[in-house]
Amino acid sequence: MSVFQETGPQAATGHPWFGRNRLLPAAPAQTIREMLRTEMRDMGYSYQSFLPAAPITLPSTSYAELFRVSAALLDLVRRTALESAPTTEGRLAAYRMPPSEHQLFVADQFTEERYADCVTRPDIVIGPNGPKFLEFNVSGALGGPVETHCRLEVWRRLYTDARGRVPFSYEDAFAVRTEMFRSLGRELGVAPRVALLGSSRDQGGSTRYFEMQTDYFNSHGLIARFFEPEDLHEAWDCPPHLRYPLGLRDFTIPDWAELGIDTAPVQAALDNGCLLVGTQTSTFLSSKLTLGMLSEGRPWMSASERSLVDTYLPWTRVLSDRWTTRGGRKVDLVRYAVDNRESLVLKESIGMSGKQVVIGRETGQAEWEAAVTEAAEKGASVVQEFVEPRTCRLAVVADGVDEPYDVDVAPVFGPVLFAGRPAALFSRFSADNTSGIVSINGNNSSYDCVVAV
């Protein structure tokens, strides 16, 4: 019996980009639930009553398109951020970064800029005309690598045949990241010793999230260790042959500030030769302002780059009291944003998990106008065209349900790239097929990996 099934006629909210083949569940609901929850145990994630019963499948051409365009747009994002000012100090001012972000830079600016984009994951939805890139997350702390690794462990066990084959292809995030650190070691002429910097306080008190990653590194040719910030001095204050010259910066400044964790040990490690990627310059690449500048166009862009941006980025503008273009005509930006609430989203320049986002169609007119006016005065937000997401069919399991069942979901895709190389395709979606903000810690939300067929 085939493990595939055609989706049948496209739903009204579907899109041919998703293809017609999908994987059928390979086990009863209870087995799938237990396997997924066992793999993701003790990692600080919210309990999910709603889980996928199979990986999301894409045609190989659609799968490849997300990575190919992600790499091309990342190059433009990087160039846009770096040309905003010639120095770090100039960029901090140009982006109006809060004081909390004025830290953890490497002293050598070339090194700081070169390794800013080592870890990247854009957020993409499939709109009426295909993929649209809503934002770029550039940070060693982004979600996706661990989650897709764990999901794939389950799907491989369930779908592997008697000859050891699986009926799909995929990228292995842990393998690609390991090769990235090997390459960094060769490029810098240092030993492949990797410090994984994070905190169990950010993972519900458990270290399994970090130990899973260091175990993989250590079993695949690297020497790796997990460091809490209080222990990070041991990565450099030791004999030279025991130092960790490379590391993954698996935390965010806002998260640690909320937990009361001091970042001074991180700066000390950076000052003493431990390169933690991605570097702090990644905050400029992640800023929504960068997408606004790129969407509006840069003087150095070629015709093909302009076409790429127009095709894959939704219309996005840095919000201030000025004129801009929309649909080939000049508009007063603030007035246009106020008058077109239902077709726009307001986003602060930095933020995570859907925080600092106001969706116009879910907001009253008075509240929307006030938010737009305030944001325009601050100059650190963007307005972006709302993209109505298309859906695909997925088998799921839920608490209290004996068998997997089908739903239409509107996935947010997150292709993970390490040093520009495809590493994993992460997805998250809502159980009730709602659009808007989809967080893996939200009610009725879950995540999955994506494979190619």
Side-chain angles (χ1 to χ4, degrees):
M1 180 178 176
S2 175
V3 297
F4 291 105
Q5 182 183 66
E6 284 199 359
T7 58
Q10 289 288 339
T13 56
H15 198 288
W17 185 91
F18 291 109
R20 296 186 62 84
N21 291 322
R22 65 190 182 102
L23 283 161
L24 294 168
Q30 184 59 24
T31 300
I32 295 172
R33 273 195 296 264
E34 290 178 356
M35 292 178 72
L36 290 175
R37 286 179 179 151
T38 296
E39 199 63 41
M40 290 301 299
R41 69 189 183 280
D42 301 327
M43 292 202 196
Y45 290 98
S46 300
Y47 180 83
Q48 294 180 354
S49 60
F50 178 90
L51 297 167
I56 293 177
T57 59
L58 292 178
S60 58
T61 52
S62 297
Y63 185 91
E65 179 184 11
L66 295 184
F67 287 109
R68 182 178 70 253
V69 177
S70 293
L73 286 176
L74 176 61
D75 178 61
L76 300 181
V77 164
R78 175 189 174 85
R79 289 162 62 188
T80 299
L82 294 185
E83 64 100 30
S84 64
T87 65
T88 293
E89 291 74 18
R91 291 173 201 138
L92 288 169
Y95 279 82
R96 303 190 182 189
M97 284 292 176
S100 60
E101 299 294 324
H102 292 227
Q103 59 173 313
L104 306 186
F105 290 94
V106 176
D108 178 65
Q109 187 160 327
F110 175 79
T111 299
E112 174 66 42
E113 294 176 3
R114 180 167 178 78
Y115 301 108
D117 60 352
C118 285
V119 187
T120 303
R121 192 208 73 214
D123 284 347
I124 306 163
V125 298
I126 307 307
N129 298 313
K132 289 291 186 180
F133 287 64
L134 304 184
E135 61 183 66
F136 267 78
N137 304 284
V138 188
S139 165
L142 56 80
V146 173
E147 294 86 350
T148 55
H149 176 83
C150 291
R151 290 289 194 249
L152 277 169
E153 285 293 299
V154 173
W155 304 140
R156 281 196 295 258
R157 291 200 295 271
L158 287 176
Y159 289 97
T160 299
D161 66 15
R163 297 184 180 181
R165 302 170 302 182
V166 291
F168 50 78
S169 61
Y170 58 89
E171 306 296 338
D172 187 327
F174 282 15
V176 176
R177 186 170 58 182
T178 298
E179 183 54 38
M180 178 187 76
F181 278 115
R182 284 200 192 97
S183 297
L184 285 175
R186 290 192 294 267
E187 181 172 322
L188 295 166
V190 298
R193 297 172 61 87
V194 178
L196 180 57
L197 174 60
S199 178
S200 60
R201 284 159 283 182
D202 204 18
Q203 303 294 332
S206 171
T207 60
R208 184 170 181 271
Y209 174 88
F210 302 106
E211 290 169 350
M212 174 186 296
Q213 299 176 72
T214 55
D215 286 349
Y216 187 95
F217 283 145
N218 285 315
S219 63
H220 289 79
L222 300 180
I223 298 173
R225 174 184 162 187
F226 164 57
F227 288 90
E228 291 276 0
E230 294 82 4
D231 303 323
L232 189 56
H233 64 280
E234 298 175 15
W236 56 268
D237 189 11
C238 58
H241 69 286
L242 297 178
R243 293 173 185 167
Y244 289 82
L246 302 171
L248 182 70
R249 183 177 146 167
D250 201 346
F251 73 94
T252 70
I253 291 174
D255 281 345
W256 275 18
E258 190 174 315
L259 293 167
I261 299 176
D262 187 8
T263 57
V266 184
Q267 189 67 63
L270 295 172
D271 293 343
N272 283 277
C274 183
L275 176 63
L276 300 171
V277 297
T279 58
Q280 178 64 14
T281 292
S282 65
T283 194
F284 302 120
L285 279 65
S286 288
S287 172
K288 313 302 188 299
L289 303 188
T290 301
L291 279 195
M293 291 185 282
L294 185 57
S295 173
E296 194 155 9
R298 313 309 298 161
W300 42 262
M301 288 171 65
S302 67
S304 64
E305 290 168 340
R306 177 72 264 176
S307 177
L308 182 78
V309 167
D310 289 344
T311 300
Y312 289 101
L313 290 189
W315 180 87
T316 308
R317 291 294 186 268
V318 178
L319 184 59
S320 64
D321 187 9
R322 64 189 181 92
W323 289 77
T324 188
T325 57
R326 177 64 166 135
R329 62 188 180 92
K330 292 189 66 176
V331 295
D332 180 326
L333 181 55
V334 174
R335 176 45 52 193
Y336 177 83
V338 168
D339 292 344
N340 290 271
R341 170 180 58 84
E342 294 195 356
S343 64
L344 296 174
V345 179
L346 176 65
K347 300 180 178 181
E348 287 189 25
S349 59
I350 56 175
M352 300 178 300
S353 303
K355 300 173 183 176
Q356 300 86 34
V357 174
V358 181
I359 299 176
R361 63 180 59 191
E362 299 177 3
T363 308
Q365 183 62 35
E367 181 183 354
W368 171 257
E369 184 168 353
V372 167
T373 302
E374 181 181 2
E377 292 174 354
K378 292 180 178 179
S381 296
V382 298
V383 284
Q384 185 177 79
E385 172 190 1
F386 179 84
V387 180
E388 190 73 54
R390 307 291 93 176
T391 62
C392 64
R393 186 67 52 83
L394 179 67
V396 299
V397 296
D399 287 353
V401 176
D402 294 333
E403 296 297 333
Y405 62 96
D406 290 347
V407 296
D408 288 325
V409 298
V412 178
F413 291 118
V416 179
L417 294 89
F418 291 119
R421 180 182 168 188
L425 188 45
F426 181 53
S427 66
R428 59 191 193 274
F429 54 88
S430 292
D432 55 5
N433 192 21
T434 55
S435 58
I437 299 167
V438 182
S439 169
I440 62 172
N441 291 319
N443 294 331
N444 292 327
S445 295
S446 189
Y447 55 89
D448 202 357
C449 62
V450 184
V451 298
V453 297

